[in-house]
């Protein structure tokens, strides 16, 4: 039950991250349609945020931009709040050992480590590596005809939440 609650929290965070990305895209589209182009480098930096606050928008455009930015701030704060809760969860006996081991690998941070831990569960439930790879969706596609076998990219089967971690 506790593990399912942690999975739900991870999935909620993933939904909020997706909403954050969509909100950023809406803001950029809104600015683009209005003819505003940021030329100071990458978007979503401190300089970009300063630039947005200095734009000469008024009336309904100002209300719209303010609503989008307010929503973005809310979503980013919620993602941080959930990540703090996940960090607390990762220190519990149930997760701490495996999360520490996974985070020792380059490129694996807290969210990926706890996602792997929660979604995989007990790693010993997989009889062999093939079962684990199938659960992860890391099985190559195959087209066989007679003596000819052609292997393709990995299939889209398996746990979608773990597939997201592989990106």
């Amino acid at each position: 039950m506790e593990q399912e609650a942690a999975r739900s929290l991870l999935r909620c965070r993933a939904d909020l991250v997706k909403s954050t990305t969509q909100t950023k895209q809406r803001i950029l589209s809104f600015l683009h349609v209005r003819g505003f182009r940021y030329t100071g480098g990458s978007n979503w930096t401190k300089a970009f945020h300063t630039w947005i606050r200095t734009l000469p928008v008024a009336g309904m455009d100002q209300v719209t931009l303010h609503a989008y930015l307010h929503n973005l701030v809310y979503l980013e704060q919620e993602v941080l709040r959930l990540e703090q809760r996940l960090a607390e969860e990762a220190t519990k006996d149930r997760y701490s050992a495996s999360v520490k081991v996974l985070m020792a690998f380059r490129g694996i941070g807290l969210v990926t480590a706890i996602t792997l831990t929660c979604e995989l569960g007990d790693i010993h439930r997989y009889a062999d590596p093939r079962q684990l790879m199938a659960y992860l969706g890391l099985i190559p596609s195959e087209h066989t005809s007679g003596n000819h076998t052609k292997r393709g990219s990995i299939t889209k089967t398996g746990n979608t939440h773990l597939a997201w971690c592989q990106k």
Side-chain angles (χ1 to χ4, degrees), residues 6-62:
R7 278 191 205 130
S8 293
L9 186 63
L10 283 160
R11 292 170 185 180
C12 178
R13 181 202 167 273
D15 290 340
L16 290 174
V17 167
K18 184 177 180 180
S19 293
T20 301
T21 301
Q22 290 171 339
T23 300
K24 287 179 175 181
Q25 290 169 339
R26 285 184 191 109
I27 292 168
L28 292 174
S29 177
F30 172 83
L31 295 173
H32 179 77
V33 167
R34 303 299 180 285
F36 296 111
R37 307 265 188 298
Y38 181 65
T39 57
S42 298
N43 296 336
W44 309 113
T45 61
K46 287 182 182 181
F48 180 80
H49 283 281
T50 302
W51 174 78
I52 281 184
R53 286 192 297 274
T54 64
L55 291 176
V57 292
M60 288 187 285
D61 279 351
Q62 186 177 23

Side-chain angles (χ1 to χ4, degrees), residues 130 138-145 147-155:
R130 286 182 180 266
L138 296 176
I139 303 298
S141 60
E142 182 177 307
H143 303 284
T144 305
S145 177
N147 292 333
H148 180 69
T149 300
K150 180 181 177 188
R151 289 209 164 77
S153 61
I154 63 171
T155 63

Side-chain angles (χ1 to χ4, degrees), residues 50-76:
T50 302
W51 174 78
I52 281 184
R53 286 192 297 274
T54 64
L55 291 176
V57 292
M60 288 187 285
D61 279 351
Q62 186 177 23
V63 173
T64 303
L65 183 58
H66 177 66
Y68 280 142
L69 292 172
H70 180 75
N71 188 38
L72 179 61
V73 168
Y74 168 77
L75 290 168
E76 289 175 338

Side-chain angles (χ1 to χ4, degrees), residues 104-155:
F105 290 98
R106 186 179 356 166
I108 296 183
L110 173 72
V111 173
T112 302
I114 197 152
T115 300
L116 287 168
T117 301
C118 289
E119 294 290 341
L120 287 176
D122 181 16
I123 196 91
H124 296 97
R125 72 183 176 144
Y126 303 99
D128 56 51
R130 286 182 180 266
Q131 274 189 347
L132 174 60
M133 299 311 264
Y135 183 74
L136 293 173
L138 296 176
I139 303 298
S141 60
E142 182 177 307
H143 303 284
T144 305
S145 177
N147 292 333
H148 180 69
T149 300
K150 180 181 177 188
R151 289 209 164 77
S153 61
I154 63 171
T155 63

